[in-house]
Amino acid sequence: MAVERTFSMIKPDATRRNLTGAIIKIFEEAGLRVVASKRVWMSKREAEGFYAVHKERPFFGELVESMCSGPTVVQVLEGENAIARNREIMGATNPKDAAEGTIRKAHALSIGENSVHGSDAPETAVAEMSYWFSETEIVG
């Protein structure tokens, strides 16, 4: 396995409930390290740009509205097999399907308010990290 980086987001439904520290602790205890982090309040334009891949989907408007509803923590995680590990730690998108011990099983309110986001592939990770961070902001 190789050390890699991935993008991670703690969504407004989780920051509103003051779960930022609890979620970061789960990542860190699972062997991932936060190498970049900032708290942002997405504009509509930023949310539409970040989620442009979903633009034609029926849930796009609701997703953008949700992501603009409060602060979000965007971060870069680093570790062995970080992309797959992050997705494993997050759990299934639908918290009803998420395994015990995952973030979404423990903290998500619904499929729409599922508390976290993580990149699904190396190419996606690069695009998502560069959307929010310059190279000089990622330090590890």
Side-chain angles (χ1 to χ4, degrees), residues 68-137:
C68 297
S69 70
T72 299
V73 175
V74 293
Q75 55 192 2
V76 176
L77 303 176
E78 181 179 80
E80 292 287 331
N81 205 22
I83 295 168
R85 187 75 183 116
N86 180 35
R87 295 189 66 76
E88 178 186 323
I89 295 162
M90 289 189 309
T93 303
N94 186 340
K96 292 179 184 176
D97 300 330
E100 288 297 328
T102 63
I103 292 169
R104 288 179 173 146
K105 187 65 165 188
H107 299 298
L109 300 173
S110 67
I111 194 167
E113 291 183 304
N114 60 21
S115 300
V116 289
H117 164 86
S119 301
D120 61 359
E123 304 78 26
T124 311
V126 168
E128 292 179 341
M129 287 184 291
S130 66
Y131 192 86
W132 294 106
F133 297 97
S134 70
E135 284 187 33
T136 60
E137 292 177 301

Side-chain angles (χ1 to χ4, degrees), residues 33-85:
R33 197 164 69 119
V34 178
V35 294
S37 180
K38 59 184 161 184
R39 191 174 180 97
V40 299
W41 196 312
M42 282 188 209
S43 68
K44 183 177 181 184
R45 183 182 58 77
E46 287 171 326
E48 287 173 341
F50 185 78
Y51 285 107
V53 67
H54 298 302
K55 189 172 186 167
E56 301 305 319
R57 300 233 172 127
F59 60 82
F60 181 72
E62 185 179 329
L63 174 61
V64 168
E65 184 179 320
S66 172
M67 294 309 297
C68 297
S69 70
T72 299
V73 175
V74 293
Q75 55 192 2
V76 176
L77 303 176
E78 181 179 80
E80 292 287 331
N81 205 22
I83 295 168
R85 187 75 183 116

Side-chain angles (χ1 to χ4, degrees), residues 6-54:
T6 191
F7 178 78
S8 171
M9 179 188 300
I10 303 172
K11 296 180 178 182
D13 70 274
T15 63
R16 193 170 17 259
R17 293 178 287 137
N18 204 30
L19 296 172
T20 302
I23 291 172
I24 291 171
K25 182 178 179 185
I26 294 168
F27 288 130
E28 290 179 337
E29 287 179 344
L32 296 175
R33 197 164 69 119
V34 178
V35 294
S37 180
K38 59 184 161 184
R39 191 174 180 97
V40 299
W41 196 312
M42 282 188 209
S43 68
K44 183 177 181 184
R45 183 182 58 77
E46 287 171 326
E48 287 173 341
F50 185 78
Y51 285 107
V53 67
H54 298 302

